[in-house]
């Protein structure tokens, strides 16, 4: 019999007229959930009264609530094209060939566009292209969307029209012509034959016009030396793939030396083939990328480097110029010289010493070797600056000898050491014009600030070498009221032709039989050139001068970071947050000093409780110039008696406040010479660095980076130098690869993706890091968050030093420890890097484990494994427990602490509409409170499959790419389908150098590494 008893949960229910009872009966929540506030874009999530986590807690993880939580982004209505262009198909990317040329970086590239927006840089891999996009080239697409760009021309600080600008400039030019006043056109190295022709036309109409070329970071001495020998103002070209022995004195040829782009050829010779690989000896002061990759590195000050250069010259050429003995490293230098001589035409010598005599001797050495890698005939034309002419210009301006000054692509008020003199001298110039993308230190001081377009909005031509003639084409209409310098030159000379028509006609003679359309499609043409005749200078005289070099005070070596270059893109947050490959510090420049010198001067680095790195401040003096409050990094491998300081920082104008970091090294760049005599003293206070790698050394962890010598590699079985880790199974030692904790799936059907990383070919350049940022909408978090170890990079490049002279020495020390206390003391001591350590770089991203420990601990199945080998992330399912990060042995997951999109607390590109134009629509922008990580660019693999399906064909052999593998010009990263037996990656799986990271834990990664092999010392 059913009971008719009435049960009640509260006294209120006994009141039949209660409105509360009715509310409780029909609604799960008494108070309305603030959905509008939660989903709206007026306030960031951090300002909401209901947090994501509390919201999910309130609704009990019901299906409806989870669906609601997944809809955090506001609805944005799309506006269709009124007349849709034929070439634009919504959802399909278009690629355009163009050329990056900003006066410092030059490269043949492809630009990926979506719905008319350039969003990513890719390498142009056509044969003959001068490619090799570095981190700055990859980041340049974001600089297009810089909200602080100059949006229209200004006269005397007030907005003006281009007609006003043209009227004012032409009047000044006519006045100069009538009065015989000097007109100076000051530009960076544009390397543009058509622009040179237009400047020549200006000079023809106004005969007192003079063209001065000014490079912020000068190669003037090298240019002078090459011109003295070959009669052309250019730089020698090099193909390091043809060299068996490479000796460098102060040339970071894997960085920005002579414009860079040499890493691809270098890496070809560094991968052991047929028991051989090229040998690289580096003599330098600063620890550079080239030095970090060398087999033998000899740290010397500038005077000792000059002595070493003369010793090498003597041994290679048979000369007998007297030199001083080099303490400690005398024998190492002589051995290097003998190895270079023995290599003959398979040897090559390079130097970065900022000295005409040093460069003349270097040319003589390569001529004596008859080096196949030394190629003066295809000389590099992307550096043309003349330091003497710039010095004379400032003197003429001060003397009132310059009537009209027209500048393009230069910022001398920031980059000149005597910038205050330059600014003061501008007042003596009747009219000054600066074509600039920013209201920077120079354009704010000139009469006319002419708004210049970004290279992605421009037409142009670039002669990068004597054989490479490249075309620049716009990939988007100008975003602002800007005008190219070339258009202005045409207007000022009375030529009504558009620059496009002028360029098309001008280029006709340089297209080597190609049509204009074909040249624009390819981005470049390769032409034949005549051989240059060498007028051999007296190298003995130059060597004698070098041999007299002496050291006094500290040698300051000024250099450019691979992340910041000459500072043109200082307002680019991708580059500011890019960790320096050597120091692993972002958002700063600093003076580097050896530990021995730092101890004497009481300069220090130390770590604080939150894991951040702190350091002393120093004061540096060069002549009468003083730079105060320079942060100090104690750098392993820095030569004693030397200091290093990077250009490109310390800018204030045309930058957001967050990007106004560092000190201006140009203040110490006297006479545009990178080698200066300096003094350094301790200053008060301490600096907080944003350093992403706390550990300094590998500490003998040989299962992370496997390292061997070429002799052992050639003579021993692979199990000696690439041992398979052993585990215990039924109390018996068993190879880890034979043991599984889970049953494996049959992965032989369909695609199965792997990524291969060759530690021999990886130079640590970091281009892959920026490419990953661009492809995957990785947020920038700022210095404060990076300092808290909250950087969001999906891909990191770990840098390790040895605590002994070699990594092999580390292993000996580690294995020599006995007992717990001895081991603790040993490993604590090994945290100090050697005075001159070996260095190893290792890119690490999600390893996409087939037996992924992150997948088993996720309570909401946000992370799971796909049939094709990728570890997937369903961001909308993730509730941010971070169990996966705790369970990941590779520490590659990033927790999204804050909402970085449309949040004024993170005032970078994702905070404004213009900056968000760079966002890749194929990858969602993550909201706060979720885990992020490398997806192995699943959107790229899907796009390749869909394209092949649409075209009715099978996917090509090596058609699959990730952002990092596509960006890697050294060939260190190879991506593909291991089920395709013809693919490169399938062959690399079987290579005896292949190993997996932390293989003993049984995660079965789909990322593989290849043992690093070094030449014997």
């Amino acid at each position: 019999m059913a009971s008719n008893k009435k049960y009640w949960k509260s006294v209120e229910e006994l009141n039949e007229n209660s409105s509360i009872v009715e509310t409780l009966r029909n609604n799960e929540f008494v108070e309305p959930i603030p959905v509008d506030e939660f989903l709206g874009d007026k306030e960031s999530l951090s300002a909401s009264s209901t947090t994501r986590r509390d919201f999910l807690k309130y609704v009990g993880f019901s299906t409806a609530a989870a669906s609601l939580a997944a809809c955090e982004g506001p609805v944005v209505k799309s506006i269709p094209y009124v007349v849709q262009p034929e070439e634009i198909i919504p959802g399909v990317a278009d690629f355009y060939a163009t050329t990056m040329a900003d006066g410092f970086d030059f490269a043949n590239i492809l630009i990926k566009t979506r719905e008319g927006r350039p969003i990513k840089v890719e390498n142009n891999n056509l044969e003959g292209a001068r490619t090799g996009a570095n981190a700055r080239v990859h980041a340049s697409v974001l600089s297009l969307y810089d909200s602080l760009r100059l949006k229209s021309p200004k006269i005397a600080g007030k907005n003006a029209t281009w007609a006003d600008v043209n009227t004012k400039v032409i009047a000044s030019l006519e006045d100069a012509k009538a009065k015989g006043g000097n007109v100076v056109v000051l530009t960076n190295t544009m390397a543009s034959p058509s622009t040179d022709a237009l400047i020549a036309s200006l000079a023809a109409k106004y005969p007192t016009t003079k063209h001065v070329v000014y490079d912020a970071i000068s190669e003037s001495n090298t240019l002078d030396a090459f011109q003295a020998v070959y009669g052309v103002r250019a730089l020698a070209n090099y193909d390091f793939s043809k060299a068996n022995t490479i000796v460098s004195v102060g040339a970071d040829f894997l960085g920005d030396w002579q414009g860079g782009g040499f890493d691809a050829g270098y890496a070809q010779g560094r991968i052991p083939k047929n028991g051989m690989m090229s040998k690289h000896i580096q003599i330098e002061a600063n620890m550079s990328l080239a030095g970090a990759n060398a087999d033998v590195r000899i740290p010397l000050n500038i005077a000792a480097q000059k002595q070493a250069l003369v010793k090498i010259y003597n041994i290679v050429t048979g000369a007998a110029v007297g030199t001083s003995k080099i303490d400690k490293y005398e024998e190492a230098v002589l051995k290097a010289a003998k190895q270079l001589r023995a290599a003959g035409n398979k040897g090559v010598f390079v130097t970065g010493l900022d000295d005409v005599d040093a460069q003349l001797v270097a040319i003589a050495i390569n001529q004596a070797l008859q080096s196949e890698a030394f190629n003066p005939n295809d000389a590099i034309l992307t550096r043309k600056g003349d330091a003497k002419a710039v010095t004379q210009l400032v003197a003429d301006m001060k003397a009132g000898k310059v009537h009209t000054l027209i500048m393009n692509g230069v910022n001398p008020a920031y980059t000149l050491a005597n910038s205050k003199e330059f600014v003061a001298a501008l007042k003596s110039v009747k009219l000054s014009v600066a074509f600039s993308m920013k209201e920077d230190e120079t354009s704010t001081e000139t009469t006319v600030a002419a708004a210049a377009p970004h290279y992605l909005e421009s037409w142009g031509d670039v002669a990068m070498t004597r054989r490479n003639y490249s075309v620049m084409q716009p990939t988007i209409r100008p975003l602002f009221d800007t005008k190219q310098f070339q258009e202005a030159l045409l207007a000022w000379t009375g030529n009504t032709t558009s620059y496009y028509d002028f360029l098309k006609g001008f280029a006709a003679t340089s297209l080597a039989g190609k049509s204009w359309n074909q040249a624009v499609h390819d981005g470049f043409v390769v032409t034949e050139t005549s051989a240059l005749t060498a007028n051999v200078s007296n190298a003995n005289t130059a060597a004698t001068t070098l041999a007299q070099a002496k050291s006094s005070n500290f040698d300051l070596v000024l250099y450019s970071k691979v992340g910041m270059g000459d500072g043109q893109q200082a307002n680019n947050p991708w580059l500011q947050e890019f960790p320096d490959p050597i120091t692993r510090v972002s958002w700063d420049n600093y003076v580097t000093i050896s530990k021995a010198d730092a101890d004497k001067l009481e300069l220090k680095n130390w770590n604080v409780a939150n894991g951040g790195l702190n350091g002393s401040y120093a004061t540096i003096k060069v002549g009468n110039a003083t730079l105060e409050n320079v942060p100090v990094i104690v750098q392993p491998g820095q030569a004693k008696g030397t200091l290093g300081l990077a250009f490109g920082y310390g800018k204030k104008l045309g930058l957001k406040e967050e990007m106004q970091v560092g000190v201006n090294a140009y203040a110490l760049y006297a006479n545009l010479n990178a080698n200066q005599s300096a003094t350094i003293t301790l200053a008060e206070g301490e600096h907080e660095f944003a350093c992403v790698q706390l550990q300094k050394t590998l500490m003998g962890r040989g299962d992370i980076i496997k390292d061997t010598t070429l002799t052992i590699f050639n003579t021993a079985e692979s199990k000696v130098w690439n041992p398979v880790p052993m585990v215990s199974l039924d109390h018996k030692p068993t190879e880890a690869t034979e043991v599984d904790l889970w049953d494996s799936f049959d992965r032989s059907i369909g695609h199965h993706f792997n990524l291969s990383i060759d530690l021999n070919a990886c130079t640590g350049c970091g281009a892959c890091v920026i490419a990953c940022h661009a492809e995957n909408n990785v947020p920038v978090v700022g210095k404060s968050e990076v300092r808290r170890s909250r950087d969001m990079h999906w891909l990191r490049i770990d840098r390790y030093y040895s605590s002994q002279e070699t990594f092999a020495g580390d292993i000996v020390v580690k294995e020599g420890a006995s007992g717990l206390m001895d081991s603790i003391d040993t490993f604590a001591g090994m945290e100090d890097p050697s005075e001159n350590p070996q260095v190893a770089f290792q890119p690490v991203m999600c390893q996409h484990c087939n037996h992924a420990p992150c997948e088993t601990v996720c309570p909401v199945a946000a992370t799971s494994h796909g049939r094709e080998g990728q570890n997937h992330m369903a961001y909308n399912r993730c509730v941010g427990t971070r169990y996966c990060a705790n369970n990941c042995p590779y520490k590659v997951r990033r927790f999204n602490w804050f909402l970085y999109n449309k949040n004024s607390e993170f005032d970078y590109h994702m905070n404004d509409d213009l900056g968000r134009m760079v966002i890749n629509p194929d990858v969602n922008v993550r909201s706060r409170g979720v885990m992020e990580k490398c997806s192995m660019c699943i959107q790229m693999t899907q796009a390749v499959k869909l394209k092949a399906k649409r075209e009715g064909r099978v996917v090509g052999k090596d058609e699959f790419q990730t952002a990092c593998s596509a960006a890697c010009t050294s060939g260190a990263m190879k991506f593909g389908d291991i089920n395709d037996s013809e693919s490169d990656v399938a062959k690399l799986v079987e290579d005896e150098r292949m190993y997996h990271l932390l293989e003993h834990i049984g995660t079965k990664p789909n990322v593989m590494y290849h043992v690093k092999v070094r030449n014997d010392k």
Side-chain angles (χ1 to χ4, degrees), residues 80-290:
Y81 290 100
V82 178
V83 179
Q84 181 175 313
E86 278 184 25
E87 66 273 16
I88 294 180
I89 303 172
V92 177
D94 288 308
F95 291 84
Y96 297 91
T98 190
T99 302
M100 160 79 165
D102 67 1
F104 190 72
D105 290 307
F106 295 81
N108 293 131
I109 54 175
L110 302 179
I111 297 296
K112 178 183 179 181
T113 68
R114 282 294 301 270
E115 290 73 56
R117 296 178 294 116
I119 63 170
K120 190 163 183 288
V121 171
E122 302 280 6
N123 283 305
N124 186 336
N125 294 320
L126 289 178
E127 186 178 354
R130 188 165 173 82
T131 186
N134 59 28
R136 297 184 301 272
V137 175
H138 280 283
S140 64
V141 68
L142 180 58
S143 295
L144 168 67
Y145 304 115
D146 188 339
S147 59
L148 295 186
R149 281 180 57 187
L150 190 56
K151 296 174 176 62
S152 66
K154 292 187 175 184
I155 297 177
K158 296 180 180 179
N159 290 337
T161 65
W162 282 105
D164 295 336
V165 170
N166 289 342
T167 300
K168 195 169 187 67
V169 173
I170 291 171
S172 183
L173 291 171
E174 291 293 345
D175 187 51
K177 184 177 182 180
K179 296 177 180 177
N182 290 319
V183 176
V184 176
V185 179
L186 179 67
T187 71
N188 57 7
T189 299
M190 304 181 73
S192 169
S194 65
T195 308
D196 289 342
L198 288 172
I199 294 173
S201 297
L202 186 74
K205 184 165 186 177
Y206 303 104
T208 58
T209 299
K210 181 182 179 183
H211 184 200
V212 176
V213 182
Y214 166 48
D215 293 328
I217 300 177
S218 177
E219 294 274 8
S220 191
N221 285 324
T222 311
L223 291 162
D224 289 347
F226 190 89
Q227 189 170 17
V229 177
Y230 294 101
V232 176
R233 194 159 185 79
L235 301 171
N237 209 341
Y238 297 86
D239 183 353
F240 289 99
S241 67
K242 296 179 179 178
N244 291 339
T245 302
I246 303 163
V247 177
S248 166
V249 176
D252 184 13
F253 57 85
L254 297 181
D256 294 329
W257 177 77
Q258 296 196 176
F262 301 110
D263 48 346
Y266 173 80
Q268 285 181 41
R270 298 294 288 168
I271 298 172
K273 293 178 188 148
N274 303 319
M276 296 179 65
M277 59 183 283
S278 63
K279 181 156 192 175
H280 172 197
I281 300 129
Q282 184 81 8
I283 302 170
E284 63 182 7
N286 298 345
M287 174 68 83
S288 69
L289 275 179

Side-chain angles (χ1 to χ4, degrees), residues 302-315:
I302 299 301
Q305 286 181 42
K306 291 179 178 179
Q307 298 289 341
L309 178 51
V310 177
K311 290 176 190 292
I312 294 167
Y313 171 73
N314 284 343
I315 289 176

